Amino acid sequence: MQDQKTSGAKARDYDLWIIILIVCIVIALVIWLFVSPGAMTAISDAANAFAANITWFFLLVPVAMIVVALIIAFGPVGKIRMGGPNATPKYSFYSYWGMLWCAGFGSATVVLSFLDWVDIVQAPPLGIEALSNEAYRFSTAQSMFDWGLTTCALNLFLAIPFCYCFYVRKKNAARLGDVFATMAPGKVPEWVVKLFNFIFIFVVLGGMTTTLGYGIPKLTACICALTGATNTNIINVVMMVVLAVIFTGSASLGIAKGVQNLTRINMIILYIFLGVTIILGPTIFILDNFVQSFGLMVDNWFSMATATEPLLDYSYGEGQTLFCYCYSMAYVAMMAGFMITISYGRTFKEMIMSCLVCIPVGVWVMFAINGGMGMKMQLDGKLDLLAIYNEEGSTAAAIATVQNSPLGPILGVIAFGLMMLIFVATAMDGTSVVLAQSTMKKVAVGKEPSFPMKFIWCIILAAIPLVMDAMGAELWLFEAVANVTGWPVLVIGIILWIFLYKWIKQDKGIEYGPGSKQDLESEAGKAEAALVAAREAEGKEPELTD
């Protein structure tokens, strides 16, 4: 009888139908693209048409998110410690924001920190003439805006409602559909819950597809630059195998010894690269450009944030800025689940300010140094990055930049390749945790999904970009994927914020969470307090129950 109960419990741990459905959709996508090669163009056209009609709304969401997040951070909710008043953070603050940065941005940000200015000087914002001195002057400032405060704020779009539901209301829900059903005032049909859970996973896949789409070609190019080999799909497959090996080792160790250590290694490499560049590179130019760009960004912040530019033939906000937001919107689903996992012991204020201060500052510094180095090469005539970018693509331009960096053609490429490799591996590891967690019916603080489940999702994650790459899909298709997958999160997330507002009003003046007065006064609270004490005595973190 006991074995039957155990077997039944295990059978209810995961929703296998989600994995089966995702695999079927991936297979259908492969067949569709083989039968109809023009389907890629159709996807891009549909995404662009959708984005063009809702640009104004997409641009306003990050601004509103910043305002609301700051209100929460410096209000009563900001003081709530996730896990209870006496909960102790599992990770140091440095490791915490480092994991948020590495998992939340991935390889795309590393590449764009070198090359984003190239796009901007050729199609600048605010009606500035292309390739003019003003375009160069604004390029770094626009990059710092696009990938800085507004984009980082979007990481909180689902994370705050998810964490409030999980830690404050102590509801055993970490999937979009389950959180929605928990927060909704009435009963939500089961099919809606399953649909939202599926959308959550699909959106996470869309975001990771974009990251891998940026990362794999650059990793392959690094190998070719170092060995002289010809760039082929075989090398792409080899790189995915290498990533799988790194991921496997990291996933088997868990977050504390896996993702956290990968993050530390990655940050050390990044610091060395940036440090050598600022010391041995065009130091004065980089510092002058950074200070000026920061001032331009602050001075023009609201203009950049609302740059729909309806009177111009080209709208930068409708193009590059919108892509940045859609890319980040595809990531917010993953970040919500990841923040639940690593934010135990942190206050809401600490989580919010990590996203609004620490991560943007890191992004600004990286873009200023890497982008400033490349821009100086262009202006001095040392390297025509615009020509390389336009004729050979972003991968060739990125490799050319690091080959001409102060580290030299070998160490520069190695450092760049290692950063890309670890950024992608960290993102894959974090994403696999969230996806595996999304197939679980119940979650618990401090308890990660099983390694086989994470490995299954790693295989699925790796298969999608490999198929696209084998078909010759370019970066614009990955951008289209990000645009398409961003809008469901936007709609559902706004509804969750309405529910959250009602919850916060109901909870005004009440302290929730393990160990709170209200919790301990109830019989269930007393029983759970004893369980929490027992688990903490064993060095474990408390599980949450319904």
Side-chain angles (χ1 to χ4, degrees), residues 332-351:
V332 299
M334 187 276 284
M335 290 303 293
F338 193 59
M339 285 189 190
I340 283 179
T341 304
I342 68 174
S343 293
Y344 177 86
R346 296 286 171 196
T347 64
F348 277 86
K349 183 178 181 180
E350 289 174 330
M351 179 181 75

Side-chain angles (χ1 to χ4, degrees), residues 267-350:
M267 299 305 285
I268 291 173
I269 297 173
L270 180 61
Y271 291 154
I272 292 174
F273 187 91
L274 296 179
V276 171
T277 300
I278 194 68
I279 294 172
L280 301 181
T283 307
I284 302 302
F285 177 83
I286 290 175
L287 293 176
D288 285 345
N289 186 52
F290 175 50
V291 172
Q292 175 181 263
S293 298
F294 183 79
L296 287 171
M297 179 190 66
V298 174
D299 192 39
N300 296 274
W301 195 89
F302 285 102
S303 296
M304 293 176 175
T306 57
T308 56
E309 298 172 343
L311 302 181
L312 300 178
D313 294 333
Y314 168 76
S315 169
Y316 184 91
E318 192 175 287
Q320 184 64 17
T321 300
L322 183 60
F323 164 65
C324 295
Y325 291 172
C326 288
Y327 173 85
S328 299
M329 192 62 69
Y331 252 74
V332 299
M334 187 276 284
M335 290 303 293
F338 193 59
M339 285 189 190
I340 283 179
T341 304
I342 68 174
S343 293
Y344 177 86
R346 296 286 171 196
T347 64
F348 277 86
K349 183 178 181 180
E350 289 174 330

Side-chain angles (χ1 to χ4, degrees), residues 74-238:
F74 292 96
V77 175
K79 300 176 182 178
I80 298 177
R81 188 169 298 279
M82 288 175 270
N86 299 317
T88 302
K90 190 173 182 179
Y91 313 102
S92 69
F93 185 74
Y94 173 77
S95 295
Y96 178 68
W97 78 260
M99 287 190 288
L100 289 179
W101 186 13
C102 292
F105 280 107
S107 60
T109 314
V110 178
V111 177
L112 290 169
S113 69
F114 290 97
L115 299 174
D116 202 38
W117 68 270
V118 177
D119 264 331
I120 297 172
V121 297
Q122 297 182 90
L126 308 176
I128 298 173
E129 182 182 353
L131 301 176
S132 63
N133 287 336
E134 192 71 0
Y136 278 95
R137 198 167 75 95
F138 257 85
S139 60
T140 303
Q142 185 67 53
S143 289
M144 291 166 64
F145 171 82
D146 287 342
W147 297 100
L149 181 59
T150 49
T151 303
C152 294
L154 288 174
N155 286 331
L156 299 166
F157 188 66
L158 289 182
I160 294 176
F162 271 47
C163 288
Y164 195 94
C165 178
F166 191 74
Y167 285 111
V168 180
R169 285 296 185 104
K170 299 197 301 177
K171 301 299 182 180
N172 218 320
R175 303 185 295 183
L176 185 60
D178 296 337
V179 172
F180 186 90
T182 301
M183 298 182 72
K187 182 175 177 58
V188 178
E190 184 65 21
W191 68 269
V192 174
V193 176
K194 290 184 176 181
L195 176 63
F196 286 5
N197 285 339
F198 172 76
I199 289 175
F200 181 83
I201 292 176
F202 187 75
V203 168
V204 173
L205 286 174
M208 182 50 59
T209 297
T210 307
T211 290
L212 291 174
Y214 270 99
I216 298 301
K218 275 67 177 179
L219 288 170
T220 301
C222 288
I223 297 298
C224 294
L226 292 171
T227 63
T230 302
N231 194 333
T232 63
N233 285 334
I234 295 178
I235 300 180
N236 287 337
V237 173
V238 171

Side-chain angles (χ1 to χ4, degrees), residues 366-382:
M366 185 170 69
F367 272 71
I369 295 177
N370 291 342
M373 175 183 64
M375 187 186 299
K376 183 63 173 174
M377 294 177 187
Q378 178 73 34
L379 295 174
D380 287 349
K382 180 180 179 181

Side-chain angles (χ1 to χ4, degrees), residues 397-413:
I399 295 299
T401 303
V402 297
Q403 284 178 327
N404 287 272
S405 70
L407 281 176
I410 297 178
L411 290 179
V413 173

